Amino acid sequence: MISTGYSEEEIKTLVKMYRTLLRKMRPVLKEGDAKIIRKAFNFALEAHKNDRRKSGEPYVYHPISVAMICVEEMGLGTTSVLAALLHDVVEDTHYTIEDIREHFGEKVARIVDGLTKIKVTMSKTPTIQAENFRKVLLTIAEDARVILIKIADRLHNMRTLDSMPKDKQLKIAAETEYLYAPLAHRLGLYSIKSELEDLYLKYADPSAYEEVVSKLKNSEEARKRFIRMFSRPIEEALQKEGFKFIIKSRTKSIRSIYNKMKRQNISFEEVYDLFAIRIILQDIPYEQEKKACWTVYSIVTDFYTPNTERTRDWITIPKANGYESLHTTVMSKSGKWVEVQIRTERMDDIAEKGYAAHWKYKDKSGITTEQGIELWLNHVREMLEKNDTSAMEFMDDFRSNLFQDEIFVFTPKGEMKMLPVNASVLDFAFLVHSEIGAKCIGAKINNKLVPITHKLQNGDQVEILTSAKARPNESWLKYVVTSRARSKIKDLIKEDKKQIANYGKEIVARKLAQLKVPFGEKTIQQMMEYFNQKTEFDLFYSIGSEMIPHNEIKAFYDATQRLESTRITKRTDDASLIKKEIKALTGNDELIIGDTNGLDLEYSFAQCCRPIPGDEIFGFATSTNGIKIHRVSCPNATKLMANYSYRILKAKWASQKFIQEFDVLLHVEGTDRIGVINEITQVIANKKVNILTIDMKAHDGIFSGSIGLSVHDRAELDELIRQLENIKGIVNIAREDEITAQST
Ligand code: MN
């Protein structure tokens, strides 16, 4: 062993670690394995000799611990242990992937390379995060071991997160919760998944975590007592039957207790299923497992009444991730429901260690879980290759997929296909081929005819029935659960719609030709407006599908003819059109307010600046409200002129005196003197000007407010302001627009 860089104490620890690792591996070690493991161990020791973890420990403790997790908690073999020992070498030291390949071969090098490439960094931008996520999946889809070792790596980092700064803790914890816990779940690593989630809670919400931990501790004695009492009669009966077994109790994970408390808004004491009792049968031959478990079920229910609705038989039909167990919930003597899990040692091994443990065993359906995981990884690859979804959509899809259980079904030729639980005949049809999906009218399952909506069961052999006449419609979307079928159906519906729209377009072209109206953008725009359609596509589709009857096109024509005859449409926002009209009539392109000059033109005064005759003004052609007249000094004027110069019209007031009155708002400020308001109203009344509103406030010897008036023109207003300014105590008097900008 290499001694440089490590203290004597540390070397002792390293030797101990090495021996433990080898001892744990003994059952899986093949000839020559011990030697290569020692080589990798020394290689890691040498490569990391100058590195320390944040806690001050030698860095190499980390890869060794990861290797230990791979062996002990995942049941992985030599290749994975080598890769785990070397997983940080390329990233953190001067050694390259070529060095690994040279010393440990292609397989190990590929896994280490994959592990090096995985860099999920949580980004604040969801799309970037989604892209990172996609990259991670691309790497893991290559070899399932990459993902397993990565989870082991993450588990060890989470276990030693204390020495990290707070912000890093939160970031790493969030990533774990977001990605690694769901992945662990999908791979059947139940205890690792629970531990990752518990550790997440520890850092994300320390006080909640502490609360649950301490309550679990405080209630431990009582729980143990209860379990002893509960188990005693079962134990005796099992012994009498000659079973070899152990009875364990399993407390729910901290995270799931906490979730339950929060979701159901209940206290810790009210969580009724805090723990489950697990009966693990030993030395049961594979063929007798099912019978043995049901015998135990029968014994348990001799003593306690089961809730039949809560019995789950995952032995006859295991979960897609390989989980096998017989669950029942029974009523205890003290009136509490207790979940009892019955399984064999083999099943327990699989349930605890997940994917890797399955390699050793074959499943009843003949499908090994390895095949199952392979199918799943194929599915991941396929999803990744499909580039038409956005990264975000993909991620949502994928994450929901992680938590979804799958079923296996077969084609008539016996080819196995994987589908999520609740998948229908239609989902299967689209999985086989999109052409078959599009023409699907039903299926034959085990020689029985079923409709497209029929939900498939594990092990079904499905023969799809098709008809050339079948066509997907919107309702099909309700019958499918896979994203593949969903997007294919949507595409097909879109295609159909496109054909209908094309037909609609032909109709429009023909009708317009008959009416001698040019088929151009302007006409189409007018039609969209007339028929209240948002897009050109909508318009053509509505006509093609006869939602708009074809004779309506003639009605549209008549209406536009009328509109055209008024020469200027009220709704146009194209000032050049209006200018042209004005010029044709007056020889001048200025809009004259108060004198129509024979122009049939609608305009109104902008509320933001309320122009009155005498003010400098301009016209603004709005898209929906005709022409608005603004003052040149309007607070919105600059914005309008800068952004919409093509809608601006020159305008001026007609020269005659206006009989009509215009509203204005005056802002007044002054010192608060008794009688000042009275004097103001007196001056206004003397000028025979109408007061519309008065709104005044006084504070700290100052008054301010506004007066609404109606005047004939600027001259009248200016004269009035002059007189008001002469009142003693008035400090400022101005028209409102000089104060704030409002909407046009
Ligand atoms: Mn690492």
Side-chain angles (χ1 to χ4, degrees):
M1 204 161 280
I2 295 141
S3 53
T4 44
Y6 301 102
S7 74
E8 233 168 87
E9 200 61 34
E10 285 161 359
I11 288 170
K12 262 189 212 158
T13 309
L14 285 165
V15 170
K16 217 194 267 162
M17 283 174 131
Y18 176 72
R19 286 190 181 140
T20 315
L21 180 66
L22 227 56
R23 193 176 62 245
K24 300 273 181 203
M25 286 191 73
R26 192 148 301 142
V28 295
L29 282 185
K30 286 193 259 343
E31 216 182 306
D33 280 357
K35 213 171 136 198
I36 186 120
I37 287 167
R38 189 185 182 99
K39 188 175 165 190
F41 195 91
N42 284 334
F43 196 96
L45 228 57
E46 161 65 20
H48 291 297
K49 68 181 173 201
N50 297 320
D51 306 330
R52 298 264 151 184
R53 302 200 86 201
K54 280 260 157 33
S55 59
E57 287 179 335
Y59 188 86
V60 77
Y61 285 8
H62 166 68
I64 298 170
S65 306
V66 174
M68 204 83 89
I69 292 171
C70 288
V71 175
E72 230 182 333
E73 297 174 57
M74 295 177 166
L76 294 174
T78 303
T79 308
S80 303
V81 168
L82 295 176
L85 286 170
L86 303 167
H87 82 269
D88 278 332
V89 164
V90 174
E91 195 183 329
D92 296 344
T93 76
H94 63 273
Y95 289 100
T96 63
I97 204 72
E98 275 66 47
D99 295 325
I100 306 276
R101 187 171 293 122
E102 187 189 320
H103 287 97
F104 302 98
E106 180 61 32
K107 223 191 306 176
V108 176
R110 272 236 304 279
I111 297 173
V112 172
D113 193 35
L115 286 162
T116 309
K117 279 184 194 140
I118 300 183
K119 267 269 155 281
V120 210
T121 26
M122 291 295 259
S123 164
K124 287 211 178 75
T125 326
T127 46
I128 293 177
Q129 192 179 303
E131 270 309 326
N132 286 336
F133 189 76
R134 204 200 279 259
K135 272 184 218 144
V136 171
L137 292 173
L138 269 169
T139 319
I140 62 175
E142 276 176 30
D143 188 329
R145 276 173 295 201
V146 175
I147 172 173
L148 290 166
I149 298 166
K150 189 68 203 174
I151 291 170
D153 179 29
R154 178 51 58 120
L155 179 60
H156 186 248
N157 284 333
M158 285 296 285
R159 282 175 180 168
T160 52
L161 203 55
D162 269 334
S163 42
M164 283 286 189
K166 186 80 191 158
D167 60 320
K168 275 244 172 94
Q169 287 179 350
L170 287 174
K171 198 183 133 233
I172 293 170
E175 264 175 30
T176 303
E177 156 83 359
Y178 189 80
L179 180 57
Y180 293 99
L183 281 172
H185 171 89
R186 186 59 190 79
L187 295 170
L189 301 161
Y190 287 100
S191 33
I192 289 179
K193 177 224 171 198
S194 305
E195 188 179 346
L196 287 175
E197 286 184 342
D198 286 356
L199 287 166
Y200 163 77
L201 187 66
K202 182 178 168 188
Y203 294 97
D205 193 345
S207 60
Y209 177 84
E210 282 310 325
E211 188 196 332
V212 177
V213 168
S214 78
K215 289 205 161 153
L216 271 175
K217 214 174 186 177
N218 292 339
S219 55
E220 203 180 338
E221 263 317 304
R223 202 160 45 243
K224 274 189 178 154
R225 221 168 21 244
F226 174 86
I227 291 163
R228 265 199 308 276
M229 295 283 287
F230 180 89
S231 310
R232 193 166 299 144
I234 300 175
E235 271 170 6
E236 283 166 8
L238 287 177
Q239 271 155 6
K240 214 182 275 170
E241 292 286 328
F243 278 111
K244 256 188 87 187
F245 61 92
I246 36 175
I247 296 186
K248 284 201 277 197
S249 78
R250 258 286 192 228
T251 2
K252 237 182 166 41
S253 77
I254 297 162
R255 181 66 197 278
S256 42
I257 294 171
Y258 169 75
N259 281 353
K260 196 151 198 178
M261 287 164 63
K262 233 174 107 180
R263 206 173 37 236
Q264 300 181 2
N265 196 21
I266 54 175
S267 67
F268 176 86
E269 289 71 23
E270 288 169 286
V271 179
Y272 78 95
D273 54 350
L274 264 186
F275 63 92
I277 285 174
R278 187 174 297 167
I279 303 170
I280 301 162
L281 301 176
Q282 294 165 311
D283 298 338
I284 304 284
Y286 183 71
E287 312 74 51
Q288 285 167 35
E289 283 186 329
K290 184 172 169 181
K291 196 175 145 207
C293 289
W294 279 102
T295 307
V296 175
Y297 173 87
S298 146
I299 290 170
V300 171
T301 51
D302 280 347
F303 296 102
Y304 306 107
T305 314
N307 178 344
T308 47
E309 273 169 35
R310 297 181 59 94
T311 299
R312 297 282 177 276
D313 175 10
W314 281 305
I315 293 179
T316 310
I317 302 171
K319 287 191 184 183
N321 61 12
Y323 185 82
E324 289 173 78
S325 196
L326 179 60
H327 290 191
T328 180
T329 299
V330 298
M331 179 59 77
S332 70
K333 298 270 183 302
S334 55
K336 256 193 350 189
W337 288 110
V338 179
E339 182 179 296
V340 180
Q341 306 173 345
I342 304 161
R343 56 175 73 159
T344 62
E345 222 169 10
R346 179 192 67 86
M347 296 175 190
D348 194 52
D349 199 21
I350 288 176
E352 293 289 306
K353 291 180 186 166
Y355 174 52
H358 295 261
W359 292 17
K360 298 177 235 165
Y361 310 109
K362 251 224 165 159
D363 183 309
K364 303 206 168 42
S365 52
I367 304 158
T368 61
T369 308
E370 191 181 351
Q371 274 175 292
I373 300 286
E374 260 317 305
L375 278 174
W376 178 71
L377 288 175
N378 275 336
H379 178 61
V380 171
R381 266 175 231 129
E382 201 179 286
M383 281 168 78
L384 289 164
E385 280 154 15
K386 208 174 70 178
N387 276 323
D388 53 352
T389 50
S390 73
M392 287 294 285
E393 246 175 86
F394 165 76
M395 186 160 65
D396 283 346
D397 243 31
F398 181 79
R399 290 192 75 238
S400 62
N401 202 275
L402 284 180
F403 286 112
Q404 218 167 32
D405 279 339
E406 274 105 19
I407 53 168
F408 296 101
V409 292
F410 298 90
T411 66
K413 284 182 185 155
E415 197 188 328
M416 185 168 56
K417 299 275 178 189
M418 186 177 71
L419 281 164
V421 164
N422 287 329
S424 66
V425 164
L426 213 45
D427 282 305
F428 179 84
F430 276 101
L431 182 62
V432 174
H433 199 283
S434 48
E435 278 295 298
I436 293 181
K439 302 265 173 262
C440 180
I441 51 165
K444 246 202 261 178
I445 292 175
N446 314 325
N447 288 323
K448 251 174 63 192
L449 281 175
V450 295
I452 55 170
T453 54
H454 180 84
K455 283 183 182 165
L456 301 176
Q457 302 295 317
N458 222 1
D460 278 350
Q461 190 157 35
V462 191
E463 186 187 342
I464 294 295
L465 305 171
T466 59
S467 154
K469 283 196 195 119
R471 248 0 243 167
N473 58 55
E474 303 268 347
S475 72
W476 282 26
L477 291 170
K478 284 185 288 191
Y479 312 140
V480 296
V481 295
T482 56
S483 52
R484 171 203 277 259
R486 187 176 303 278
S487 68
K488 284 274 160 29
I489 292 169
K490 278 187 184 159
D491 284 353
L492 288 165
I493 293 173
K494 221 187 275 167
E495 225 170 79
D496 273 2
K497 278 193 165 172
K498 219 188 259 168
Q499 278 183 18
I500 293 170
N502 280 340
Y503 172 67
K505 195 172 177 181
E506 276 169 36
I507 301 278
V508 172
R510 205 179 317 136
K511 289 271 178 187
L512 289 180
Q514 282 165 12
L515 296 165
K516 298 195 173 31
V517 177
F519 182 92
E521 205 177 312
K522 190 183 154 209
T523 314
I524 300 305
Q525 278 296 325
Q526 286 174 337
M527 283 183 98
M528 277 161 57
E529 224 166 86
Y530 180 84
F531 292 117
N532 203 9
Q533 301 287 316
K534 280 201 197 75
T535 64
E536 235 179 84
F537 186 88
D538 289 348
L539 174 72
F540 294 145
Y541 177 76
S542 298
I543 290 169
S545 63
E546 294 198 57
M547 283 193 286
I548 296 172
H550 298 170
N551 55 19
E552 286 281 308
I553 298 173
K554 176 78 168 71
F556 155 77
Y557 171 75
D558 294 341
T560 30
Q561 281 301 96
R562 266 201 312 280
L563 231 59
E564 289 290 314
S565 71
T566 63
R567 283 201 299 263
I568 296 170
T569 75
K570 198 175 146 189
R571 300 167 73 84
T572 184
D573 62 353
D574 187 350
S576 66
L577 266 180
I578 302 171
K579 270 182 215 161
K580 228 183 274 166
E581 293 292 333
I582 298 170
K583 200 153 193 178
L585 280 155
T586 64
N588 185 315
D589 62 0
E590 222 169 14
L591 189 61
I592 297 172
I593 304 301
D595 177 3
T596 61
N597 292 336
L599 265 175
D600 181 13
L601 205 59
E602 292 200 24
Y603 59 78
S604 57
F605 298 103
Q607 285 305 299
C608 51
C609 57
R610 297 184 226 225
I612 60 174
D615 285 334
E616 291 239 45
I617 51 170
F618 67 93
F620 182 76
T622 67
S623 49
T624 49
N625 294 316
I627 298 166
K628 287 272 183 198
I629 308 300
H630 290 263
R631 286 162 63 191
V632 172
S633 64
C634 172
N636 291 311
T638 350
K639 188 181 82 197
L640 295 178
M641 292 192 197
N643 296 325
Y644 305 101
S645 58
Y646 63 96
R647 294 186 180 184
I648 304 291
L649 291 163
K650 274 195 244 169
K652 69 175 186 193
W653 299 96
S655 49
Q656 89 275 13
K657 191 98 182 137
F658 282 79
I659 313 157
Q660 183 189 355
E661 289 186 343
F662 299 84
D663 296 351
V664 288
L665 201 64
L666 288 184
H667 186 79
V668 194
E669 268 173 15
T671 49
D672 190 15
R673 171 173 68 78
I674 294 166
V676 71
I677 306 283
N678 202 26
E679 238 174 279
I680 292 170
T681 51
Q682 200 57 55
V683 168
I684 298 170
N686 285 347
K687 291 291 294 176
K688 297 205 166 38
V689 170
N690 282 327
I691 298 178
L692 303 171
T693 58
I694 292 188
D695 179 19
M696 293 287 179
K697 277 189 201 96
H699 53 88
D700 303 334
I702 306 279
F703 79 88
S704 66
S706 59
I707 307 169
L709 303 168
S710 68
V711 295
H712 290 95
D713 54 31
R714 181 70 179 260
E716 191 180 20
L717 182 67
D718 286 349
E719 176 55 27
L720 180 65
I721 290 173
R722 241 192 320 279
Q723 291 197 10
L724 289 172
E725 278 171 341
N726 285 336
I727 297 173
K728 198 178 148 221
I730 297 254
V731 176
N732 186 27
I733 188 152
R735 273 168 84 181
E736 56 167 339
D737 62 280
E738 275 108 38
I739 301 157
T740 49
Q742 294 168 10
S743 76
T744 53

